[in-house]
Amino acid sequence: MALYVQKFGGTSVGSVERIEAVAEKIKRFRDEGHDIVVAVSAMSGETNRLVALSQAISNQPSPRELDVLLATGEQVTIALLCMALQKLDCDAVSYTGTQVPILTDSAHTKARIQSIDTVKMRRDLDAGKVVVVAGFQGVDQFGSITTLGRGGSDTTGVALAAALKADECQIYTDVDGVYTTDPRVVKSARRLDRITFEEMLEMASQGSKVLQIRAVEFAGKYNVPLRVLSSFEDGPGTLISLEEEDIMEQPIISGIAFNRDEAKLTVLGVPDVPGVASRILGPISAANIEVDMIVQNVAEDRTTDFTFTVHRNDYDKVMKVIEQVADDLGAVEVKGDNTICKVSIVGVGMRSHAGVASKMFDALASESINIQMISTSEIKIAVVIAEKYLELAVRTLHAAFGLSDESLV
Ligand code: ASP
Ligand code: MG
């Protein structure tokens, strides 16, 4: 019999009825003889409600106290879920992060897990109990409650699975798996049976929001097989694991990810001397702003153009910083565009196939979509295009790489 860690997200436990349905699901696994450890999120909307309460008092609440507040959401769910399991005659016990304990660093609101004590959980499993752990929270060395960042329950689930050496970490959510792309954009998008950690990581960091990036990183690092499934329907979901031996069987492209919220800045006529890139990007990273793509041209006339992308929310702030830097550097001018988006194709099959990039560019050209920037990795090609072409680009690429579910085309 297997040991599963099952994580249920906010919508899956969004009401008493849903919590009872989750309890029934867990009970079915118990009845098959499996050992179950559960990680749960707060009921849907609850964490936002708590954030709003804190904002009503202060727009810069103490991070320590914010964590004390936010951790209450998950504490409600663990108690209710245990009650629901007990009502079904399924023995269950709840633990907050502090009680496990899940030890983290002291970076409040974005803490990292350092270690998990499995003694109590093992004892309970041996006694035939279902163990229900509050997601998203831990405790630091001083005994203060910490949280792991929004969406952090996924990370709790994976970390528990790694610590317990579980057979699988199952992430139950409101979709029935990972899709070739967002089905709201492409109706014929297909559920993937399996995908590798690497691909999932690229999909997540390129904008696919099914799983928290950190959770996927963690799962890859500790080789915890992850399965994304629906809380509401039965089905196999999508298995995320190490690359299969049989590379010939791999499709060239597994999925298409996209990100709408991008903005682009270009510093024109930057002197071509050492240290310029660091002088442009230094103040941006000092302001804690993440830079995504970076492109610098070959210098023809002892000056170069330097272009990079940031999250659209940071655009105004970055523009201010960069105008100052450009002045200091004696650059010609700064141009910006906050109506761009990024579309990426992802697949480990790229490693063993040539011509993937030109196929992508051909497909976009056939729809007269202009590519403004390109960036590549071993298993990803991303392009920046005008936002108004996003849907068209995703649909075109989805078809060009044969990703559609034929029965839906
Ligand atoms: N409740 C937390 C949030 O809403 C953690 C989670 O749901 O994963 O971000
Ligand atoms: Mg969530």
Side-chain angles (χ1 to χ4, degrees), residues 188-200:
S188 60
R190 193 163 44 79
R191 182 183 55 77
L192 295 158
D193 285 323
R194 55 187 308 166
I195 183 171
T196 68
F197 290 123
E198 261 185 306
E199 288 171 316
M200 192 61 224

Side-chain angles (χ1 to χ4, degrees), residues 178-181 186-193 251 253-254 398 402-406 408:
V178 179
Y179 275 66
T180 48
T181 194
V186 182
K187 271 206 304 291
S188 60
R190 193 163 44 79
R191 182 183 55 77
L192 295 158
D193 285 323
I253 297 303
S254 294
H398 199 265
L403 293 176
S404 294
D405 178 341
E406 291 307 323
L408 297 174

Side-chain angles (χ1 to χ4, degrees), residues 41-42 47 74 136 150-153:
S41 292
T47 309
E74 273 71 12
F136 174 59
R150 296 305 303 269
S153 301

Side-chain angles (χ1 to χ4, degrees), residues 23 66 212 408:
L66 190 56
Q212 204 207 20
L408 297 174

Side-chain angles (χ1 to χ4, degrees), residues 96-106 111-117 137-144 146 148 159 218:
T96 63
T98 306
Q99 288 173 312
V100 171
I102 296 177
L103 190 70
T104 71
D105 62 20
S106 301
R112 298 215 161 230
I113 296 176
Q114 291 174 333
S115 63
I116 296 183
D117 186 340
Q137 57 177 266
V139 63
D140 74 1
Q141 57 172 329
F142 308 110
S144 295
T146 55
L148 310 178
F218 217 103

